[in-house]
Amino acid sequence: MRIDFHTHSSVSDGTDPPAAVMRQARTAGLDVVALTDHDTVDGHQDALQELPPGLTFVPGMELSCRLDGHSVHLLAYLFDPADAALAAETETIVRSRNERARLIVARLADLGVPVTWEQVADIAGDGVVGRPHIARALARAGVIERPADAFGPAWMGPGGPAYVRRYAPDPHRGIELVRAAGGVTVLAHPRGSGRGWQIPGEAIAGLAVAGLAGIEINHPQQDEATRAELAELAQSLGLIPTGGSDDHGELTGFRIGTETAPAGSCQRLAERASGAAPVRG
Ligand SMILES: [Zn+2]
Ligand SMILES: [Zn+2]
């Protein structure tokens, strides 16, 4: 059983449409794939419509949270997509991200950078406009070499001239909202390299008490030693170990199916969820 619990489509900041992500999942030899776009379930319907035979689809989302001023990502699965409170929260997050994107582009204009809102919106297509799209626009304009350079303190990173803070709920609230919608949550890339801050073990223990179901161990930014540490932590806290590629199409170089979750993890998560069920193609 090959499971990839973490993928993005062009509905958020991935580069491929949901249906293409599903085809790639099957081509990569996966049996189970979750679509976890940032703060939106808008890609689910398209993914389901062209679900390849034999592939099981797990509806998901990656919820943007903030703990003590630091970004924390929660993977949410199998919640009721029509739940009003969760939908209202994700709308607030998306609206705030859009406003931030506009503010960043305005600041870049003040700095004399030749990137327009139209260029950024064009890169985002139908997706939620976010900083990755601005980063790509900056690289295209030749202002920076690689999109990743945009996230440092010289540009959009904390302390940078184009840094703008946006709304994100506390992960305890995120866990509660997803639970109330019948879903389960998994802490995404808790020790992902290159992410600056790393969530302390005590904070993870606090989230476990709040109802966190699992922890992402297999992730392209976590090496073998880190995975061993996280597996131990998962064991001690009773959290389900999971994994996924964090595929964003062409954006990050993390490709679908290159990281997988332990075989029993899908069933273990599904047993704890009541808001939706995996769908077999
Ligand atoms: Zn993430
Ligand atoms: Zn992700």
Side-chain angles (χ1 to χ4, degrees):
M1 173 87 85
R2 297 191 71 232
I3 308 164
D4 188 335
F5 265 137
H6 192 163
T7 69
H8 297 271
S9 76
S10 54
V11 167
S12 64
D13 56 348
T15 55
D16 301 317
V21 175
M22 295 301 109
R23 285 194 297 275
Q24 288 161 12
R26 199 56 181 148
T27 306
L30 290 170
D31 302 294
V32 179
V33 68
L35 184 64
T36 52
D37 277 311
H38 296 284
D39 311 301
T40 177
V41 296
D42 285 356
H44 290 184
Q45 213 169 359
D46 285 356
L48 280 169
Q49 232 147 37
E50 294 186 51
L51 195 59
L55 183 66
T56 295
F57 175 77
V58 174
M61 174 167 75
E62 187 169 13
L63 198 61
S64 309
C65 299
R66 189 181 292 124
L67 184 66
D68 299 333
H70 302 285
S71 168
V72 170
H73 288 173
L74 276 183
L75 292 160
Y77 305 103
L78 302 166
F79 50 86
D80 175 4
D83 182 84
L86 183 57
E89 187 73 5
T90 53
E91 270 168 37
T92 305
I93 296 171
V94 168
R95 200 180 319 119
S96 170
R97 176 183 287 131
N98 260 300
E99 283 164 9
R100 174 176 68 169
R102 286 193 179 274
L103 282 170
I104 291 174
V105 173
R107 287 208 187 161
L108 290 172
D110 289 344
L111 293 167
V113 173
V115 166
T116 65
W117 179 256
E118 286 67 32
Q119 288 166 340
V120 175
D122 190 49
I123 289 170
D126 295 333
V128 178
V129 176
R131 292 192 303 173
H133 305 117
I134 300 174
R136 281 157 69 190
L138 282 168
R140 256 186 219 182
V143 177
I144 53 175
E145 209 170 304
R146 298 167 305 129
D149 298 340
F151 295 93
W155 295 103
M156 300 189 286
Y163 175 69
V164 179
R165 201 181 153 100
R166 71 176 164 94
Y167 170 75
D170 184 284
H172 296 85
R173 176 169 164 74
I175 289 168
E176 189 44 49
L177 280 165
V178 173
R179 276 182 93 186
V184 288
T185 46
V186 169
L187 183 62
H189 44 68
R191 296 283 183 272
S193 58
R195 289 181 179 270
W197 184 75
Q198 299 201 324
I199 184 169
E202 311 88 76
I204 299 175
L207 297 179
V209 171
L212 183 72
I215 184 163
E216 189 176 50
I217 289 180
N218 299 334
H219 183 278
Q221 291 177 321
Q222 292 172 171
D223 63 20
E224 285 308 320
T226 305
R227 292 177 193 201
E229 247 171 67
L230 288 172
E232 218 166 278
L233 188 67
Q235 176 97 43
S236 72
L237 295 173
L239 296 170
I240 301 167
T242 73
S245 62
D246 208 354
D247 176 279
H248 282 74
E250 303 297 325
L251 185 65
T252 56
F254 305 157
R255 298 329 296 259
I256 199 160
T258 52
E259 296 286 356
T260 56
S265 55
C266 185
Q267 201 186 337
R268 289 179 73 188
L269 288 177
E271 276 166 5
R272 292 179 58 170
S274 58
V279 180
R280 196 175 156 80

